Amino acid sequence: MMKERKVSFSGIQPSGELHLGNYLGALRHWPTFQEKYDCVYCVVDAHAITVRQDPAKLRRSTLELYAQLIACGIDPEKSILFVQSQVPAHAELAWILNCYTMFGELSRMTQFKDKSARNADNINAGLFTYPSLMAADILLYQTDVVPVGEDQRQHVELARDIVKRFNGVYGDVFTEPEAVIPKFGARVMSLNNPESKMSKSMPEGCVFVMEKPEDIMRKFKRAVTDSDTENCVCYDRAAKPGVATLMDIYSACTGRSFEAIEAEFAGQGYGAFKPKVGEAVVELLRPVREETQRLLADKAYLESVYRAGAEKAAHVAERTLRKVQKKVGFLAR
């Protein structure tokens, strides 16, 4: 039977706080997919434990991230919104897909190499095979499109290779997903090191979604600009990376072009510009922060929503899993 609408799958790890780069680059735009696709949104806590986590902190982070996704505009009535570990089919299909994923394919994964270098004392099997789990996340829902950043394209390509291999043996079992690199994916740079992406590992240059307005303003007032004598707000990424970073952020928050920003601050200098950028960010994030706080104060509601989300996800995922189990020769449950 033909699907009425294509399926979109997105997953995000609850490993640390959401920051402005996450929000502007992806989360702000996720709700727009609900109008065009049947959307599946997943807090991928099973992926998070490939590096050591504090259990209590992981539970808090998972719940906070779930609330933030709703606060960003993801509607649990329109979309399937759930926590990965609450749908066992993900782990079950991941094991089967491990058996159809080649060692060489996994060893070539860029993120495995990067994470291994950063966690040399904990290069575990999960870190090596988590692309198979990511493929399971996607394939369980017969996903058509996966909106990802360029750094995740490799994982979607692996999922496509697994589909071709599995379908080549067993027939038309999985939908072959396609990576979609959204045009709106703003790349937000650090406030104190504009040559690097904004990252929670450099907290002074990173603005967090749940941060207090006064702390956000302090960071913008201290943001790196440039040591030129002109003190001119004009866009030149190569010559003035600090100012370019602030202009990128201001443009993303207000929708104004670089030309309009240059005209707005003509003759005013960095002292006037930096607080204005801070104010724009505070106002952009305010409704998300306040709605997240409201949701977290109502634990009973949040629990009812994530349980319902897990049930909806499991209903879809089990159909795919049963089909796969039958194809590989497992006895029916």
Side-chain angles (χ1 to χ4, degrees):
M1 190 174 83
M2 291 288 290
K3 291 182 282 191
E4 287 185 24
R5 298 205 297 181
K6 288 185 175 182
V7 176
S8 169
F9 179 91
S10 300
I12 183 168
Q13 285 196 39
S15 51
E17 296 180 70
L18 280 183
H19 58 69
L20 183 65
N22 305 137
Y23 183 68
L24 291 178
L27 287 181
R28 178 166 66 157
H29 308 281
W30 276 12
T32 64
F33 281 79
Q34 296 175 127
E35 309 311 318
K36 186 177 179 182
Y37 299 102
D38 286 334
C39 290
V40 181
Y41 296 105
C42 181
V43 178
V44 290
D45 54 341
H47 284 288
I49 64 168
T50 56
V51 296
R52 293 287 175 262
Q53 302 286 340
D54 175 274
K57 188 176 178 184
L58 179 60
R59 278 188 286 273
R60 279 197 309 276
S61 297
T62 301
L63 195 62
E64 182 172 291
L65 178 55
Y66 192 90
Q68 285 175 321
L69 293 178
I70 298 174
C72 286
I74 292 171
D75 185 345
E77 297 298 319
K78 286 184 180 178
S79 302
I80 297 176
L81 174 60
F82 70 105
V83 177
Q84 182 187 30
S85 62
Q86 298 191 333
V87 181
H90 286 252
E92 292 184 73
L93 182 60
W95 171 252
I96 295 172
L97 296 186
N98 271 339
C99 302
Y100 293 84
T101 308
M102 300 301 109
F103 184 92
E105 290 173 322
L106 294 173
S107 66
R108 288 192 291 274
M109 289 287 118
T110 303
Q111 290 205 344
F112 171 68
K113 295 173 185 174
D114 292 346
K115 287 191 176 183
S116 297
R118 291 200 303 269
N119 300 278
D121 58 340
N122 183 29
I123 305 174
N124 57 72
L127 192 61
F128 187 67
T129 63
Y130 87 96
S132 300
L133 176 57
M134 186 170 170
D137 299 336
I138 296 165
L139 302 184
L140 276 170
Y141 302 94
Q142 301 297 342
T143 299
D144 298 283
V145 297
V146 188
V148 289
E150 189 60 50
D151 60 333
Q152 291 291 330
R153 186 195 288 272
Q154 190 183 29
H155 291 102
V156 182
E157 288 303 317
L158 177 63
R160 288 167 61 87
D161 291 340
I162 294 169
V163 168
K164 289 170 187 169
R165 187 173 296 132
F166 197 92
N167 286 0
V169 176
Y170 300 108
D172 189 15
V173 178
F174 295 120
T175 300
E176 190 173 327
E178 181 184 353
V180 175
I181 312 295
K183 294 183 176 67
F184 49 67
R187 190 166 186 258
V188 181
M189 310 306 280
S190 169
L191 298 185
N192 63 357
N193 182 6
E195 305 293 339
S196 300
K197 273 178 69 174
M198 187 173 282
S199 166
K200 59 182 178 287
S201 63
M202 296 186 288
E204 271 308 301
C206 183
V207 175
F208 297 99
V209 171
M210 298 300 290
E211 207 159 6
K212 293 177 182 176
E214 56 268 30
D215 293 333
I216 293 175
M217 291 302 297
R218 176 181 55 80
K219 287 181 178 179
F220 275 98
K221 286 173 182 175
R222 292 180 179 177
V224 168
T225 45
D226 299 289
S227 56
D228 57 21
T229 53
E230 297 173 6
N231 208 13
C232 167
V233 177
C234 48
Y235 197 89
D236 186 335
R237 169 58 62 186
K240 297 161 74 77
V243 174
T245 292
L246 293 172
M247 289 181 71
D248 283 334
I249 292 170
Y250 194 62
S251 175
C253 290
T254 63
R256 295 180 191 174
S257 67
F258 295 143
E259 292 80 7
I261 296 168
E262 288 172 5
E264 181 183 352
F265 293 98
Q268 293 189 54
Y270 304 150
F273 179 49
K274 292 200 286 186
K276 275 286 193 180
V277 183
E279 288 167 12
V281 170
V282 166
E283 291 312 311
L284 182 74
L285 296 180
R286 187 187 302 280
V288 178
R289 178 171 56 85
E290 290 178 352
E291 179 63 3
T292 300
Q293 289 170 337
R294 188 190 71 77
L295 289 165
L296 288 170
D298 191 349
K299 293 287 196 297
Y301 168 76
L302 265 186
E303 186 173 325
S304 71
V305 175
Y306 72 65
R307 285 184 188 277
E311 285 178 16
K312 285 198 283 187
H315 179 71
V316 178
E318 283 291 330
R319 286 205 304 266
T320 300
L321 181 63
R322 298 264 194 262
K323 188 175 182 180
V324 171
Q325 289 173 330
K326 183 177 180 182
K327 290 288 187 183
V328 301
F330 292 173
L331 292 173
R333 291 184 189 177

